[in-house]
Amino acid sequence: MMNTKEKQKIQTEFKEKMDYDELLNCMRCGFCLPSCPTYIESGKDEAHSPRGRIAMMKAVVDGDIEPDEDVKRSLDLCLGCRACEPVCPSGVNYGHLLEQARDIIYQNSNQSLPIKAARNMAFEHLFPNQKRMIGFTSLVGFYQRSGLQNVTRKTGLLNLFPETLRTMEKVLPAIPKKSEMQNRPRYLPSLTEEKKKVAFFSGCLMDTVFMATNDATTKLLQYAGCEIIVPETQGCCGALHGHSGERERAKEMAKKNIKAFEDEQVDYIITNAGGCGAFLVDYDHLLKDEPNWAERALAFTKKIKDITSILIELNFHQLDLQLDEQIITYQDSCHLKNGQKTFMEPRQLLQSIKGVEYVEMKDASRCCGSAGIYNIVESEMSMQILEYKMEQTKKTNAKTIVTANPGCLLQMKLGIEKEGLSEEMEAVHIVDILLKAYENCNRLTTSN
């Protein structure tokens, strides 16, 4: 519980730091309500809607209410999916307001020792340091390969953990060996006529847990005619920090990435994770008040492009792509659609694959409930949202669910497992299915 001193400090900083003009932009029209998963799943509780949360933020600034536990709870329950932004007639930047408010609250309120220790470990020591990330994920890989996983499952030790974590353990991909994660390529030539020179943002989890998907991404870029630079000094994008009330640390990570890429003479900086890409294109906003970084951040953001966008630009969808006959559907990454404004490109690519029938899922752009670590810290709401998503998925009769973000991928895998559909349905990242479709028709080899 917040004490009086904490509430006073939070209220003061709300007045000093919140973008009041942005708060006033909200006309309370309610266009955002049908797009908000937490508003729908909470039984249409205004406190869990975008306009309700903005009203609370403004009320705290105006001194009409205290920043109490109810305010914090409402903000914590928000997925941060930003589905309210595209439908807002006033163009309210809700995501920016949410990050500002969470940062103020979390930086000025005491937390229990276990939560404080967990946040410190994740935000200060693990995600900002790729060597530690490699070390941590390699332990998970050892657990998978050594037989410990089988022993843990047979002895029932996993039953000590919440159901969501138990299911998540089942759907994690095979983790690469530590030596493989440490020896990543830094330059890759085009395998066809060179059309673009690009840099690749490899990320933290994407270059460890999802390393195979990163490799598929660079191979697709090579086939599409790209020369690729992968800067060694890049790191985590900082999205988890920015969304969780750790904006100062997020700024540090943004500066590190800008430095890593700004001397590379490339046409684009390519991303393959919707959540990372959306935060990267927001670096100009994150650093707008820092004179030495604002222009550099803007130059950086102008080069960010999702893998699906560059593939369409380079006419990859006009090449021979083929898979076995099947129905496929697509689950939007919220941040790819709402943050990077990339919506049609993934669909165009999937619809160009011969042998497949593409079926659009109802509410494909509604959040799946992953939202970073939301499915762990807000498991009940996350599973409610996932249940609806799986209902719509099953109606498509799809064999394959395609998405474009690692969190969404794990969430959909989790949904498949919970529904008992693992024998008849799979979830894949879009680059993995595109690479398979291309190599089915084109037997090129690389000289990596």
Side-chain angles (χ1 to χ4, degrees), residues 19 120 146 159 290 324 327 342 348 380 413 444:
D19 187 337
N120 184 62
S146 65
N159 293 329
E290 300 199 23
D324 294 338
I327 296 174
T342 302
Q348 285 178 266
E380 184 178 350
K413 284 178 177 286
L444 292 176

Side-chain angles (χ1 to χ4, degrees), residues 120-252:
N120 184 62
M121 174 61 69
F123 296 139
E124 296 294 327
H125 298 288
L126 184 58
F127 283 92
N129 189 306
Q130 191 64 2
K131 288 183 179 179
R132 291 190 188 125
M133 182 67 75
I134 289 171
F136 176 77
T137 51
S138 67
L139 291 176
V140 179
F142 175 77
Y143 164 78
Q144 290 176 331
R145 292 187 297 271
S146 65
L148 280 174
Q149 186 174 52
N150 290 333
V151 171
T152 303
R153 289 176 177 178
K154 287 178 180 178
T155 58
L157 285 175
L158 282 175
N159 293 329
L160 298 174
F161 295 91
E163 182 186 356
T164 301
L165 285 179
R166 295 199 303 271
T167 310
M168 193 69 75
E169 187 266 356
K170 291 182 182 179
V171 301
L172 277 177
I175 308 297
K177 294 180 180 177
K178 187 175 184 179
S179 58
E180 294 173 322
M181 292 187 278
Q182 288 174 324
N183 297 298
R184 305 296 288 135
R186 298 298 165 192
Y187 172 80
L188 294 159
S190 172
L191 292 175
T192 56
E193 179 186 354
E194 187 175 317
K195 300 172 184 176
K196 297 289 181 183
K197 182 177 181 181
V198 302
F200 178 52
F201 183 81
S202 52
C204 52
L205 283 175
M206 286 303 300
D207 218 36
T208 50
V209 176
F210 298 95
M211 193 181 84
T213 297
N214 265 8
D215 288 342
T217 304
T218 53
K219 189 168 282 190
L220 278 179
L221 288 170
Q222 287 178 288
Y223 288 152
C226 293
E227 178 186 8
I228 309 165
I229 306 294
V230 189
E232 187 171 2
T233 55
Q234 64 176 297
C236 174
C237 68
L240 185 61
H241 298 72
H243 301 327
S244 304
E246 299 285 342
R247 279 172 67 83
E248 290 307 312
R249 172 56 90 170
K251 288 179 181 180
E252 292 173 20

Side-chain angles (χ1 to χ4, degrees), residues 343-393:
F343 177 75
M344 286 307 302
E345 292 91 331
R347 290 167 169 80
Q348 285 178 266
L349 288 162
L350 294 173
Q351 289 167 358
S352 70
I353 302 173
K354 299 181 183 71
V356 306
E357 178 186 353
Y358 176 81
V359 177
E360 182 74 8
M361 183 198 308
K362 180 185 176 184
D363 292 331
S365 59
R366 185 187 292 186
C367 185
C368 65
S370 171
I373 57 171
Y374 187 95
N375 56 4
I376 297 172
V377 298
E378 297 289 350
S379 180
E380 184 178 350
M381 178 60 77
S382 175
M383 292 305 103
Q384 275 184 240
I385 293 167
L386 179 59
E387 185 177 339
Y388 176 81
K389 182 62 62 177
M390 291 309 299
E391 287 175 13
Q392 308 316 312
T393 303

Side-chain angles (χ1 to χ4, degrees), residues 87-98:
V87 298
C88 178
S90 299
V92 176
N93 289 305
Y94 173 81
H96 295 164
L97 292 173
L98 179 66

